[in-house]
């Protein structure tokens, strides 16, 4: 099976999960833990035919560990949420950070995210929907988007979710300027461009790498949250607990599709648009 550049392998995902583990001291990321992720970033540089400026995976891991520990909690929370397919595109307050950590420790992260997605909440879904509406890419999709929003607002979560994945597919073709059927083949060039921004802006020994991660948090969050959404699946295997485009589009889920599923999909769609805008801006 082809390995796409935008797919994170199982070992790297496991490493990221370890780094996001809220049962730990939350302030003790070790460089060794980050080596698979560092290797993933360096591979992106090599796949572009460029000599990576990030040094060795050991050097990059040391730099990232130092930076992440310097501003550990907010970024670890962002990583924790992204691994839960909850795309983060903006920074959040110290209060939100602490509340999210506590919710995860108490095994009620999903209920917390759902509660905080109401208007005025820490993760207000209406702000995400407004961000989607304001994207220059959405002009050709205003009517279907509005119908999706109406379905979502009326608690019709399955049609809203299937509408979002259809819109995601159409917008990906538009933003990538590629009409082939493979989702991952369309997504790869955009993510390559977005990742190259990281590679050309930050070196392995630059202590300000944390500033870049904060300013372009949405790109990394989208990359991680999108991984399971786009993952190819075997319908003979156990139904996934996460949101997968293949299972949803083909009507294979036996469980109910709920409000939080739609919220995660709206946030994923917003991450796609922001990544496309960043890639487009940097390519000019």
């Amino acid at each position: 099976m082809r390995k796409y550049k935008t797919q994170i392998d199982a070992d790297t995902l496991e490493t990221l999960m370890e780094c996001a583990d809220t049962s730990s001291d939350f302030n003790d990321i070790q460089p060794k833990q980050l080596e698979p992720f560092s290797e993933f970033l360096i591979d992106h540089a090599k796949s572009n035919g460029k000599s990576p400026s990030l040094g060795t995976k050991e050097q990059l891991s040391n730099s990232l560990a130092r930076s992440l520990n310097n501003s550990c909690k907010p970024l670890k929370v962002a990583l924790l949420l992204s691994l839960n397919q909850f795309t983060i595109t903006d920074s959040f307050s110290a209060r939100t950070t602490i509340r999210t950590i506590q919710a995860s420790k108490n095994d009620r992260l999903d209920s917390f995210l759902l509660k905080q997605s109401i208007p005025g909440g820490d993760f207000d879904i209406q702000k995400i929907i407004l961000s989607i509406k304001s994207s220059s890419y959405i002009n050709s999709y205003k009517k279907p988007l509005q119908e999706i929003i109406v379905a979502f607002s009326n608690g019709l979560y399955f049609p809203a979710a299937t509408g979002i994945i259809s819109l995601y597919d159409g917008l990906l073709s538009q933003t990538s300027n590629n009409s082939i059927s493979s989702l991952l083949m369309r997504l790869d060039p955009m993510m390559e461009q977005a990742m190259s921004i990281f590679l050309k802006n930050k070196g392995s020994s630059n202590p300000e790498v944390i500033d870049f991660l904060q300013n372009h948090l949405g790109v990394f969050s989208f990359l991680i949250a999108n991984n399971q959404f786009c993952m190819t699946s075997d319908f003979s295997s156990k139904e996934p607990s996460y949101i997968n485009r293949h299972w949803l589009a083909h009507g294979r889920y036996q469980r109910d599709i709920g409000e939080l599923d739609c919220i995660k999909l709206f946030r994923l769609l917003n991450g796609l648009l922001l990544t496309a805008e960043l890639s487009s801006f940097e390519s000019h």
Side-chain angles (χ1 to χ4, degrees):
M1 182 180 294
R2 173 175 174 174
K3 170 71 172 162
Y4 291 95
K5 302 183 189 76
T6 53
Q7 285 184 294
I8 303 173
D9 60 46
D11 289 341
T12 300
L13 274 177
E14 184 177 355
T15 297
L16 293 175
M17 289 176 184
E18 288 176 3
C19 291
D21 180 10
T22 55
S23 65
S24 70
D25 185 52
F26 227 88
N27 205 26
D28 60 352
I29 299 175
Q30 300 300 312
K32 201 74 177 174
Q33 287 179 286
L34 292 171
E35 285 187 6
F37 190 51
S38 299
E39 191 170 16
F40 176 74
L41 293 176
I42 291 170
D43 284 346
H44 271 275
K46 292 180 179 178
S47 68
N48 281 335
K50 300 176 181 177
S51 176
S53 60
L54 297 177
T56 65
K57 68 178 181 181
E58 291 80 12
Q59 290 171 325
L60 178 57
S61 298
N62 284 330
S63 177
L64 288 175
R66 180 177 62 250
S67 298
L68 287 168
N69 284 324
N70 285 342
S71 187
C72 181
K73 288 181 179 176
L75 284 174
K76 287 187 80 172
V77 166
L79 183 57
L80 174 73
L81 295 179
S82 301
L83 287 164
N84 195 38
Q85 289 188 297
F86 199 85
T87 311
I88 296 296
T89 53
D90 296 305
S91 58
F92 37 85
S93 67
R95 176 176 173 268
T96 300
T97 298
I98 298 302
R99 294 174 70 184
T100 305
I101 293 170
Q102 196 61 46
S104 180
K105 284 183 176 180
N106 293 334
D107 198 26
R108 56 180 182 85
L109 182 59
D110 278 354
S111 61
F112 171 75
L113 293 176
L114 183 58
K115 182 178 179 181
Q116 293 304 319
S117 293
I118 63 172
D122 293 341
F123 302 108
D124 190 340
I125 186 56
Q126 295 305 319
K127 291 182 178 179
I128 298 299
I129 291 173
L130 285 174
S131 176
I132 294 170
K133 283 183 171 181
S134 67
S135 173
S136 59
Y137 291 112
I138 209 72
N139 290 335
S140 301
Y141 297 93
K142 285 184 176 179
K143 188 174 187 297
L145 174 62
Q146 188 55 40
E147 291 178 359
I148 290 166
I149 294 169
V150 169
F152 172 72
S153 300
N154 285 281
L156 302 174
Y157 300 127
F158 180 77
T162 54
I164 295 170
I165 66 169
S166 176
L167 194 60
Y168 181 103
D169 200 305
L171 283 165
L172 181 56
S173 290
Q174 178 183 329
T175 55
S176 65
N177 195 29
N178 192 332
S179 60
I180 60 175
S181 59
S182 171
L183 194 85
L184 289 168
M185 286 181 71
R186 283 176 284 156
L187 190 60
D188 259 0
M190 182 190 304
M191 291 307 302
E192 282 291 287
Q193 173 65 23
M195 294 300 290
S196 72
I197 300 167
F198 174 87
L199 297 172
K200 77 179 184 182
N201 278 284
K202 299 298 173 184
S204 61
S205 61
N206 192 335
E208 294 180 355
V209 68
I210 197 69
D211 295 332
F212 178 84
L213 290 172
Q214 288 175 332
N215 292 336
H216 298 91
L217 179 62
V219 174
F220 290 91
S221 183
F222 171 70
L223 173 65
I224 295 167
N226 191 67
N227 189 67
Q228 291 178 317
F229 174 70
C230 289
M231 192 178 293
T232 53
S233 299
D234 180 357
F235 291 140
S236 64
S237 61
K238 183 180 178 181
E239 177 180 299
S241 58
Y242 52 84
I243 307 167
N244 179 263
R245 171 185 174 270
H246 198 49
W247 279 72
L248 187 56
H250 290 276
R252 298 303 180 98
Y253 278 113
Q254 297 297 308
R255 70 172 177 86
D256 289 337
I257 300 300
E259 184 178 4
L260 186 59
D261 293 312
C262 291
I263 288 170
K264 290 179 178 181
L265 287 169
F266 273 125
R267 299 187 75 94
L268 193 71
L269 181 62
N270 190 48
L272 169 68
L273 293 170
L274 293 179
T275 300
E277 288 164 5
L278 175 63
S279 299
S280 175
F281 174 78
E282 288 287 334
S283 64
H284 289 96

